[in-house]
Structure formats: C-alpha cells, structure tokens
Amino acid sequence: MNLISSDDLSKEQIMDIFEIADSIKEEKEELTLKEHAVQALLFEKTSTRTRVSFEAAMAQLGGMSVYIDAQTSQLKRGESFADTARMLSSYCDFIVARLYSHKNMLELANNSSVPVINGLTDLEHPTQALVDVYTIRWAKKNLKNLKLVFVGDIAANTANSLMLTSVKLGMEVALLGPKGYMPESFYFNKSREYGKIDTYSDPAEALEDADVVYTDTFVSMGQEAEAEKRKKMFAPYQVNTKMLELAKPDAVVMHCLPAHRGEEITSEVLDGTRSIVWEQAKNKMLLAKAILLFVSKE
Ligand code: CP
Ligand code: NVA
C-alpha cells in the first residue's frame, strides 16, 4: 500500500505499525524486507532526519537506497511525476518522496507499481505524525484522554497529519494560533469526524489541562517569500517558559525539528526537562523501519 495521507491509515493500521516498531525496539524477532530491497529517495526539498532515517532504516533491514533530487534528475527538465513513477517503480521496491505539491505526490503514487511513502508535501507529513504519536505513547504510556495542543502554524503540513492521527487514537486536539488564522478545512473537518478538536487564539484557554505542547516552524519550506510576515504574525505564539506554565505541570514539549531557536520555541524550553524532542527525533528511524515493513506486506 501507499502512505500518502494520514487518512490512509485506520486506527487499527496505526496500532499495527506501532506493534512492529515495538517488536523492533524490544528485539523480539529479526524483521527484514525481501533480500536486496531498493528504495528510491526522491527529494525535491531539503531534509536531514527523514532522508537519513529512511536510508539507515533500509540499510539495517538489509536493503539499499538511491537518492534522487530535483536538481540533478530529469525532473529538472520537466519529466512528469507520472513518468518518473513508472520508471522508478520498475527499478525499486519502494519510493519515499518529499515534494512541494501534494498533487504531484498523488500523481507519483497513482503511477507507481510499488509502495510510495510521503516524506512530506505542502499538505501532509504522515510519517512524522506516526513518529509523534508513538513518542507520546512512550512518554505518557496511554493515549486516551490526553490533550495535545498544536501551537503556531496550525495550517502546517505537520499540523494536518498530526491532528488526524491524534484524534483517531483518542486524543483531544487544540489548535492554538492567531485570531482569524484558520486550519486547513479538509483536515480540520475530517478530524472532527473522528474525535474532539477545536481552534483557539487564547493561550490560557487552549493550554488548560494540556498534556502535550507541540510546535513547528513558522515558515515552512516553500513559504520563504512570506517569512517576515509570518514570523511577525506568529510571534505571540512562541513556546516559551511562560506559555508552558499554562499547561499541566507534567506536560511534554515536542517539535518535529528543525527548530528555529528564538522563533517558534526558546532554547530554554527545547533543551529543558519537559522536552522530548530528541526521543522524538530518534524514533524516526524506528518508525521508518516499521512503515517500510508495514507497507511491504499490506
Ligand atoms: N522532521 C523532519 O521531517 O525533518 P527533516 O526535514 O530534517 O527531514
Ligand atoms: N512544516 C515544516 C516541516 C519540516 C519538517 C516544513 O514543511 O518546512
């Protein structure tokens, strides 16, 4: 199967992926892919964690990776995503792609004969959301009745995927951002079908009883032209010590990284005792393995 949207996975499928991850973590059994599996890593945007975690995961599962970027491949000269998918899927067993446009990701997936995994688009970051919720379960032991507050750019790709995945697993989601700045309606309405989610502009209201405080950059890749405007608009929503005091005393802090210290989060909070960002980042490779194993058998 493909993993393009967080909505592609049912609650049961998410739990299956977590079970595979647990099994790998606890070294219960040696899980491998077919011998000499090859994944294409097709990246139009920069990446450190997603690229390296999938590449390392594939190596440790016994396969190998081929990295292709938009600058040095024929994508640069306009070869379509459909034709690229047809060709790549005749060489490789998986395609992990990071593209600007979600529409192009769908074109890639619809024309591939092997599983396509979305490693981020303008609209979604489904593998990150799995990492995030898996990490929350590790920190809090149970997901039910937890309240997650996404602070800042509540219309970001990370927010879209995280809201869907969190509510599906029984968490309550509060989206905290500037008055009048709305989440992507498709993801917000879809999440509403699965569970409890609301928008807030008042930090005290949103963070009351919060168990998890999550933030992401104010300026996502592709939004560089609006950087100054966005930084100004989101500035009141920086996750800092004062804001954190509004959450539960045992609330944890998360960030998908890379962080922009002093913008969406302070160093004091990022490096503080309530931050679980390094465990979160570490889990990217574990979940990359679980996702590769899961999509290969579905
Ligand atoms: N969190 C995340 O996706 O990081 P990269 O952009 O480094 O892959
Ligand atoms: N919202 C961020 C996530 C980076 C992992 C971006 O798209 O740049």
Side-chain angles (χ1 to χ4, degrees), residues 3-7 9 43 45-51 53-54 96-99 102 105 117-133 150 155-165 187 214 216 220-221 255-258 280 284 291:
L3 175 52
I4 304 304
S5 167
S6 291
D7 208 30
L9 297 172
F43 278 50
K45 302 184 187 183
T46 53
S47 168
T48 302
R49 279 147 287 267
T50 308
R51 175 183 172 178
S53 60
F54 269 94
V96 180
R98 170 167 287 196
L99 306 181
H102 198 77
M105 184 67 76
I117 298 168
N118 174 359
L120 183 145
T121 63
D122 54 345
L123 289 182
E124 289 214 43
H125 200 357
T127 65
Q128 182 69 47
L130 290 169
V131 169
D132 299 341
V133 177
F150 192 104
N157 41 18
T158 42
N160 294 339
S161 286
L162 186 57
M163 67 177 94
L164 277 174
T165 307
Y187 294 96
Y214 194 110
D216 182 14
S220 284
M221 290 178 275
H255 191 309
C256 60
L257 303 177
Q280 184 184 359
K284 284 196 66 120
I291 293 163

Side-chain angles (χ1 to χ4, degrees), residues 35-296:
E35 223 185 324
H36 307 305
V38 178
Q39 81 183 334
L41 295 168
L42 178 64
F43 278 50
E44 273 190 313
K45 302 184 187 183
T46 53
S47 168
T48 302
R49 279 147 287 267
T50 308
R51 175 183 172 178
V52 179
S53 60
F54 269 94
E55 193 159 343
M58 181 52 93
Q60 291 189 10
L61 290 173
M64 63 157 300
S65 306
V66 181
Y67 182 77
I68 313 128
D69 66 33
Q71 289 313 306
T72 57
S73 67
Q74 298 293 15
L75 282 173
K76 186 174 182 194
R77 296 176 64 240
E79 187 166 22
S80 72
F81 285 92
D83 289 352
T84 302
R86 287 185 192 108
M87 183 267 309
L88 285 182
S89 59
S90 71
Y91 304 154
C92 303
D93 305 290
F94 301 89
I95 301 174
V96 180
R98 170 167 287 196
L99 306 181
Y100 280 98
S101 146
H102 198 77
K103 206 168 130 262
N104 288 341
M105 184 67 76
L106 290 169
E107 184 181 318
L108 192 77
N110 290 338
N111 290 281
S112 170
S113 55
V114 300
V116 175
I117 298 168
N118 174 359
L120 183 145
T121 63
D122 54 345
L123 289 182
E124 289 214 43
H125 200 357
T127 65
Q128 182 69 47
L130 290 169
V131 169
D132 299 341
V133 177
Y134 184 85
T135 309
I136 295 169
R137 198 189 59 159
W138 164 84
K140 297 285 177 188
K141 312 295 173 232
N142 195 344
L143 294 170
K144 261 215 146 344
N145 303 320
L146 289 182
K147 181 177 177 186
L148 177 146
V149 185
F150 192 104
V151 186
D153 184 3
I154 57 174
N157 41 18
T158 42
N160 294 339
S161 286
L162 186 57
M163 67 177 94
L164 277 174
T165 307
S166 302
V167 292
K168 266 187 196 170
L169 294 191
M171 296 170 69
E172 177 188 341
V173 175
L175 303 171
L176 172 62
K179 215 178 175 66
Y181 185 80
M182 300 306 286
E184 289 283 344
S185 56
F186 172 81
Y187 294 96
F188 184 64
N189 293 335
K190 202 82 205 144
S191 299
R192 275 219 151 136
E193 290 174 20
Y194 301 122
K196 199 167 170 207
I197 179 163
D198 226 326
T199 57
Y200 300 84
S201 56
D202 175 8
E205 215 185 316
L207 286 151
E208 189 183 357
D209 291 330
D211 300 286
V212 181
V213 181
Y214 194 110
T215 192
D216 182 14
T217 181
F218 293 157
V219 187
S220 284
M221 290 178 275
Q223 297 174 333
E224 291 77 9
E226 302 164 30
E228 287 320 305
K229 191 181 111 201
R230 295 179 68 87
K231 284 183 201 172
K232 207 181 259 176
M233 171 170 70
F234 292 118
Y237 296 92
Q238 180 189 66
V239 176
N240 52 35
T241 305
K242 195 160 160 255
M243 180 175 282
L244 209 50
E245 276 166 12
L246 301 168
K248 276 189 184 168
D250 64 348
V252 293
V253 175
M254 302 182 75
H255 191 309
C256 60
L257 303 177
H260 303 80
R261 292 166 181 262
E263 291 181 17
E264 74 274 8
I265 192 164
T266 58
S267 283
E268 198 183 358
V269 170
L270 192 72
D271 301 327
T273 52
R274 290 153 91 178
S275 166
I276 56 168
V277 297
W278 305 114
E279 179 71 21
Q280 184 184 359
K282 188 176 96 185
N283 281 337
K284 284 196 66 120
M285 187 170 77
L286 182 62
L287 268 296
K289 284 182 188 169
I291 293 163
L292 287 166
L293 288 160
F294 180 80
V295 298
S296 70

